[in-house]
Amino acid sequence: MKTVEIKPGIYWVGAIDWGVRDFHGYVTPNGTTYNNYLIMDEQITLVDTVKHDFADITIDNIRSIVDPTRIKNLVVNHIEPDHASSIDKVMELIPDATIYITEKGKKGLDRSFDTSRWKFIIVKSGHTLTIGKYTLLFLETPMLHWPDSMVTYVKEAKLLISQDAFGQHLATTARFDDEFVECASHAELEDAVIDYYANILMPFGKLIKNKIADIQKLGLEIDMIAPDHGIIWRSSSQKVIQDYLDMANGRAALRVAIIYDTMWHSTERMTIPLMQGIKDEGVDCKVIKLRASPMSVAVKEFWKSRGCLIGTPTLNNIMFPSVAEFMTHLRGLRPLNRITGAFGSFGWGGGAVKEAYEEFKRMNLEVVEPGVQVLYKPSAEDENQCYNFARGFAKKVKEYHGKF
Ligand code: FEO
């Protein structure tokens, strides 16, 4: 796609990846974009690069505006390969350019490239670079979401180039939020923001709140947020900041996600009375079968809901492998402010439901015990027990939800 001028003299020069469906294990059904930005000023400055497969695309985009060899500065906000793996190709064109990067970013680049001939200036929060009419202010954002991460604020344009933060995995010809809402929908955009936050930023809620507070203390006026993935926030930059604060503060819907897997349909059968009990208590419910859904979708649905019931058959006295995989993944994301329970079927020894509760407790999540376990196949009595447990669980979800 052709370049787009997002502010006077500042251009999106990135690439759209319509085909990516597996983003280091995170399923991206809508593809993604790798956004980078060219600032045409006295010192021509490129902020970020793109994934290596798309190096020629961004270089051609730059070339459509200016001879790339005239670029004086390269700002590297983040070194994850989806943004930095084409740096060597870009630096071949601009060997005398200066790279502005955090100390940890430089250490990371040193591990991936021969950087011995590249010129670096290590930046810290508060450092500025005047490139002509524009001044760039660098703000480190360590662990949001890598140790090297930083953002670049273009003062006179009131533009925050935010690397992964506020991004979404959406391949689209729309470059701006209002364009996307017009050709797709607000709900689709919101879903993409939640999906991205849940799968990438969930562990960092406290850091997000602190960093947004730091930015607010600095009194930076933010008129536009340009992330490194997806659409640029032109019309609702303040709203997406508030959305991040709300998610960091534990925002969820009054809803229960039933996330399960099954061997011979017994655990699956239990989801029916469970779902009905939740519904009859006036709480919305969504049921997700793990082997039928990408992990990132299950994580997103978990994150959207105040409550979660995990369903697992017992296999060899422990949780079913796909459920164990989900629980391990979830533990790494350090979820907060959710209430949980467990259910499942077993043939002889049992053990999976107990293990699921142990996992939830390790995550310091609220639990409603004892859950429901059934031997072999659920009987009518078992189904009644599921229904009653679900009603009780939904009541607890409503009480807990009231705290937020
Ligand atoms: Fe889009 Fe952390 O890379």
Side-chain angles (χ1 to χ4, degrees):
M1 184 174 155
K2 282 197 301 187
T3 64
V4 176
E5 189 172 24
I6 64 167
K7 285 277 184 179
I10 305 178
Y11 296 83
W12 173 86
V13 290
I16 304 173
D17 190 347
W18 296 99
V20 65
R21 292 293 178 270
D22 181 343
F23 192 94
H24 61 49
Y26 169 2
V27 170
T28 47
N30 300 309
T32 194
T33 69
Y34 312 107
N35 300 337
N36 59 336
Y37 303 94
L38 181 72
I39 308 178
M40 292 301 296
D41 209 335
E42 287 166 32
Q43 294 179 35
I44 298 170
T45 299
L46 180 65
V47 183
D48 293 324
T49 59
V50 296
K51 192 175 172 185
H52 55 88
D53 319 35
F54 297 85
D56 291 343
I57 289 178
T58 194
I59 289 168
D60 284 350
N61 275 344
I62 294 166
R63 194 169 277 124
S64 73
I65 298 168
V66 68
D67 176 356
T69 62
R70 290 183 53 207
I71 293 172
K72 289 282 179 268
N73 307 311
L74 172 61
V75 175
V76 178
N77 278 331
H78 180 31
I79 61 162
E80 193 164 3
D82 50 325
H83 308 295
S85 54
S86 62
I87 284 184
D88 52 346
K89 277 202 159 185
V90 171
M91 288 306 291
E92 274 172 27
L93 297 169
I94 50 171
D96 296 324
T98 303
I99 298 175
Y100 291 80
I101 192 168
T102 61
E103 187 176 359
K104 291 207 164 113
K106 159 102 174 37
K107 281 188 181 150
L109 281 195
D110 290 345
R111 303 291 298 174
S112 302
F113 301 103
D114 175 5
T115 60
S116 57
R117 296 180 59 179
W118 297 352
K119 256 191 301 185
F120 287 94
I121 290 190
I122 302 298
V123 299
K124 289 188 179 298
S125 278
H127 286 182
T128 57
L129 168 66
T130 300
I131 58 173
K133 68 177 182 190
Y134 284 128
T135 308
L136 312 186
L137 167 68
F138 304 114
L139 295 168
E140 292 172 279
T141 57
M143 294 320 298
L144 291 174
H145 70 118
W146 272 26
D148 65 286
S149 301
M150 70 169 184
V151 296
T152 299
Y153 177 68
V154 187
K155 280 187 185 172
E156 295 76 6
K158 300 179 185 170
L159 166 69
L160 182 70
I161 301 178
S162 62
Q163 45 100 7
D164 282 328
F166 308 110
Q168 340 83 49
H169 285 309
L170 285 174
T172 165
T173 56
R175 288 280 57 82
F176 297 103
D177 49 351
D178 46 291
E179 282 180 347
F180 183 84
V181 168
E182 206 175 303
C183 67
S185 70
H186 181 73
E188 205 176 321
L189 182 54
E190 189 172 75
D191 191 70
V193 171
I194 294 171
D195 186 86
Y196 195 92
Y197 186 103
N199 281 283
I200 296 184
L201 297 170
M202 192 196 297
F204 308 119
K206 198 169 165 204
L207 291 175
I208 286 167
K209 281 195 283 185
N210 291 343
K211 193 46 70 177
I212 290 176
D214 285 351
I215 289 173
Q216 286 169 337
K217 263 188 238 154
L218 289 171
L220 305 183
E221 278 185 80
I222 297 174
D223 172 60
M224 181 183 284
I225 298 176
D228 279 2
H229 296 290
I231 60 86
I232 294 162
W233 302 95
R234 172 170 70 180
S235 302
S236 45
S237 56
Q238 294 308 311
K239 182 179 180 309
V240 76
I241 291 172
Q242 189 58 50
D243 283 345
Y244 263 49
L245 282 172
D246 290 347
M247 285 190 280
N249 282 323
R251 183 181 77 184
L254 177 57
R255 177 201 274 185
V256 173
I258 298 179
I259 299 173
Y260 78 99
D261 219 326
T262 196
M263 289 171 70
W264 290 103
H265 304 295
S266 293
T267 300
E268 186 163 62
R269 179 82 203 165
M270 294 171 79
T271 65
I272 297 169
L274 286 164
M275 177 264 297
Q276 192 61 53
I278 291 161
K279 177 77 182 157
D280 288 352
E281 203 53 50
V283 175
D284 187 21
C285 180
K286 186 153 185 172
V287 182
I288 301 111
K289 181 178 180 178
L290 281 167
R291 274 179 300 160
S293 312
M295 179 71 68
S296 47
V297 170
V299 166
K300 177 180 70 177
E301 294 302 336
F302 171 90
W303 180 244
K304 279 176 144 179
S305 310
R306 182 64 68 202
C308 173
L309 287 176
I310 195 85
T312 174
T314 292
L315 180 64
N316 299 325
N317 298 110
I318 57 176
M319 286 188 286
F320 193 66
S322 58
V323 180
E325 183 190 4
F326 171 75
M327 294 293 259
T328 302
H329 197 81
L330 193 63
R331 180 154 48 85
L333 289 167
R334 304 201 292 275
L336 290 171
N337 306 316
R338 301 296 188 272
I339 185 165
T340 59
F343 64 97
S345 61
F346 65 100
W348 40 101
V353 167
K354 178 170 170 278
E355 196 188 16
Y357 273 109
E358 285 166 2
E359 272 292 294
F360 280 140
K361 287 175 189 173
R362 280 177 79 187
M363 296 181 221
N364 293 316
L365 295 173
E366 294 283 322
V367 292
V368 179
E369 292 182 285
V372 195
Q373 298 185 72
V374 307
L375 179 65
Y376 290 117
K377 272 180 161 343
S379 62
E381 194 181 323
D382 290 329
E383 290 189 2
N384 204 31
Q385 199 194 343
C386 287
Y387 178 84
N388 289 332
F389 175 71
R391 284 203 78 145
F393 182 76
K395 278 188 188 135
K396 296 271 187 193
V397 172
K398 285 192 280 190
E399 279 170 30
Y400 187 66
H401 190 66
K403 296 181 182 173
F404 293 90

